[in-house]
Amino acid sequence: MAKKTQKTHSALKKIAKVKPNGTVKITKAGGNHKSGKKSNKITKKYAQSSLMSKGDYKRLKDIIK
């Protein structure tokens, strides 16, 4: 029997981008959903990104792909 591979996590692939040097940038999910009701201040917060911490990367590296 072949070894099963783990699927990429659907929510994580919507918010994470793996850069060529191996770092992972994370944004907040749900920024476009019902954006007409959200203020510009809130919408800008969704657009900001940050780097994933090393501890989180160790936990999630199998499901990021």
Side-chain angles (χ1 to χ4, degrees):
M1 190 194 274
K3 184 179 178 184
K4 292 184 179 180
T5 57
Q6 190 168 7
K7 292 183 179 180
T8 303
H9 194 270
S10 296
L12 191 58
K13 68 184 175 185
K14 293 174 186 176
I15 63 170
K17 298 278 187 250
V18 181
K19 297 297 176 181
N21 63 358
T23 58
V24 181
K25 291 194 95 174
I26 298 286
T27 59
K28 292 182 175 77
N32 282 331
H33 184 70
K34 291 189 175 179
S35 58
K37 292 184 172 188
K38 295 174 185 166
S39 67
N40 288 338
K41 184 177 178 181
I42 297 298
T43 310
K44 286 178 186 178
K45 279 190 174 185
Y46 277 107
Q48 293 174 354
S49 63
S50 61
L51 292 177
M52 182 182 277
S53 68
K54 289 181 182 179
D56 285 340
Y57 182 74
K58 284 181 184 177
R59 277 190 312 114
L60 302 173
K61 67 183 173 184
D62 294 335
I63 60 173
I64 291 176
K65 294 184 184 175

